[in-house]
Amino acid sequence: SPNFRNYVGIHHIYANPRAMEGYENGIFPDGSVIVVDVLEAPETDSITTEGPRKFIDVMLKDSKKFAKTAGWGFEKFNADSTTGRLLNEESAARCSACHASQKDHVFSDLRK
């Protein structure tokens, strides 16, 4: 991925109940929300710990609103900001193009 360097670190992935349905059956229904919390992963004395937040990615499934991007809306927030958005329409389209390689645009899997 061209974004590999940006995603180095620890990831916490959160899903609302609708998204959990998608993880279970492979098709995410409208209303699914997936949040990827990306943290720095500093290493000291061979011990890796959680560092500061780098950014938060949000995916929202709404087939009508986001028809141009296979039903998914994409947003990225800078560090701990709830208003510091990092995507515009063009960069969100690039997110969708990269995610298109995955089943229903989702890279992560449910770990049981």
Side-chain angles (χ1 to χ4, degrees):
S1 166
N3 277 325
F4 174 76
R5 288 186 193 271
N6 296 329
Y7 283 87
V8 171
I10 296 172
H11 302 177
H12 295 284
I13 300 174
Y14 305 96
N16 71 349
R18 299 291 305 208
M20 291 303 294
E21 291 175 32
Y23 279 116
E24 291 287 341
N25 68 33
I27 303 296
F28 290 81
D30 279 359
S32 295
V33 178
I34 300 171
V35 176
V36 180
D37 188 5
V38 181
L39 307 170
E40 292 180 15
E43 186 177 315
T44 305
D45 299 326
S46 298
I47 298 171
T48 303
T49 59
E50 287 186 359
R53 176 175 286 126
K54 295 170 73 172
F55 55 86
I56 292 177
D57 283 343
V58 179
M59 293 176 62
L60 168 64
K61 181 85 177 261
D62 184 325
S63 297
K64 291 179 184 169
K65 185 174 183 179
F66 302 114
K68 290 182 182 179
T69 51
W72 284 100
F74 297 87
E75 189 56 78
K76 181 183 292 286
F77 293 93
N78 188 30
D80 290 326
S81 177
T82 58
T83 59
R85 294 179 167 188
L86 299 174
L87 298 183
N88 57 32
E89 189 173 328
E90 182 181 316
S91 54
R94 284 194 306 270
C95 291
S96 178
C98 183
H99 280 252
S101 67
Q102 303 302 304
K103 183 174 182 178
D104 203 3
H105 275 58
V106 177
F107 278 97
S108 54
D109 293 316
L110 181 62
R111 182 176 167 186
K112 295 185 180 188

